[in-house]
Amino acid sequence: MEITEALPEELLERFRARAAGYDERNTFCTEDFAQLRDRGYLKALLPVERGGYGWGLSELALAQRRLATAAPATALAVNMHHVWAGVAQLLAARGDQRLAMVQDWIAEGEVMAFGISEPGNDAVLFDSKTTAEERGDGSVAFTGTKIFTSLAPAFTRLGVFGKNAEGQLVHGFVARGEGVESLNDWNTLGMRASQSHTTKLSGAIAPAQWVHTRLAAGPNPDALVFGIFASFLTLTASVYVGLAERGLQLGTAALQRRVHQDGQAYTQDVRARSILAEAGMRMLTLDALQRQVAGDLDALVDHGPQWFPKLVTLRTRAGDWARENVQDAGQLIGGGGYFRGSEFERLYRDVQASWYHPSNAASAANTVASWLVGPLED
């Protein structure tokens, strides 16, 4: 299926029209999500014979970017389902079937969510404050707090991890229900329709067959770690590439529409043209980087130690340049964009969420510097 067939312009316009209401009411993007589900969008990475679109990460990344130009919070919400689908696909393509169950679940209509981030845990995947109690039957009981659980009102399966008594990091899935409580605390500056509530795990049980990986704490070359970082960073970046693109679209439309008091068109204003051109150059760079990273993941390109620098650069630059493009759009739109309820005003708040996704600027800089000159000495 072509991306424009999956996400036609008339559908995006409906999403864009609803976005302001979701944001104002601080409610989940219920209608958007239902329409995406009904169109089979949640199964996009599955083969056609399993009800999917037969896409790779290349197509999905561009689709998520397109969706984000209309409704960034909707794109961010559904993104976390797609992250698990992406991890499963990346592993399977490399001969690792431990997440085949995720593909089975998605084919059956289950909705995945991402329960990895924890308050105060800047080690991300390399350590955990959540306890993983190993039980005699092979199941694991998870107790702890997970934050930024996007898609919280809709998920049916939550991917989590925690630390067991031996200091191992245990990865598994829990079902929505007993021991899994959404705190309904999402009342934020932007990305409000994602409803990324805090999730409290109180002895939440992952059945033995849903416990798929045990790893030593600390940096680990396991394929699961690579898969999570690759899928999460690439697809999260796509939401912000979409925001950068929409900022450029709004800025371009403003120049084509506005006229100075003396009758000169803004398209002939050298300063305004320069602002727009900078936004355009950022977008051209992001487009090339996004396509190269996602394409290389699909093509199984072995970048060795360059992979993590490439991934974190895409994610952080997408956030940085999305903020800059939206800010530049505000300069070009003029004072009308400053009023509550304008699309620019909402996008200006939504794009601030890019500060908080891993990898943050400091972590990304350390990753790239370590690749170039080695790690910091103890």
Side-chain angles (χ1 to χ4, degrees), residues 67-82:
L67 178 57
T69 65
T74 296
L76 188 63
V78 75
N79 208 56
M80 298 312 164
H81 169 87
H82 284 313

Side-chain angles (χ1 to χ4, degrees), residues 8 44 61 78 98 102 105 200 237 268 288 324 331-332 378:
V78 75
R98 79 184 92 167
V102 171
W105 288 338
K200 184 178 180 181
Q268 303 307 303
E324 291 185 39
Q331 293 188 64
L332 298 173
D378 292 337

Side-chain angles (χ1 to χ4, degrees), residues 5-23:
E5 182 183 356
L7 299 172
E9 192 60 40
E10 59 269 22
L11 180 69
L12 296 183
E13 285 302 325
R14 290 200 296 272
F15 285 8
R16 186 174 288 120
R18 284 195 289 256
Y22 292 143
D23 178 76

Side-chain angles (χ1 to χ4, degrees), residues 11 34 40 60 63 65 121 132-133 176 178 191 260 268 276 280 290 295 317 338:
L11 180 69
L60 183 59
R65 165 178 158 182
N121 177 13
E133 179 191 351
R176 188 183 202 96
E178 185 176 357
M191 293 292 189
H260 284 290
Q268 303 307 303
L276 186 66
Q290 179 192 39
R317 282 292 176 259
Y338 192 61

Side-chain angles (χ1 to χ4, degrees), residues 118 121 123-130 132 134 140 142 160-172 211-220 224-225:
E118 300 169 338
N121 177 13
V124 195
L125 279 175
F126 300 142
D127 205 348
S128 179
K129 293 185 173 185
T130 297
E134 303 272 5
V140 175
F142 291 94
V160 299
F161 83 130
K163 186 185 288 186
N164 67 14
E166 288 71 44
Q168 290 180 309
L169 299 177
V170 183
H171 293 259
V211 179
H212 54 85
T213 306
R214 290 175 174 82
L215 300 172
N220 196 301
L224 177 73
V225 174

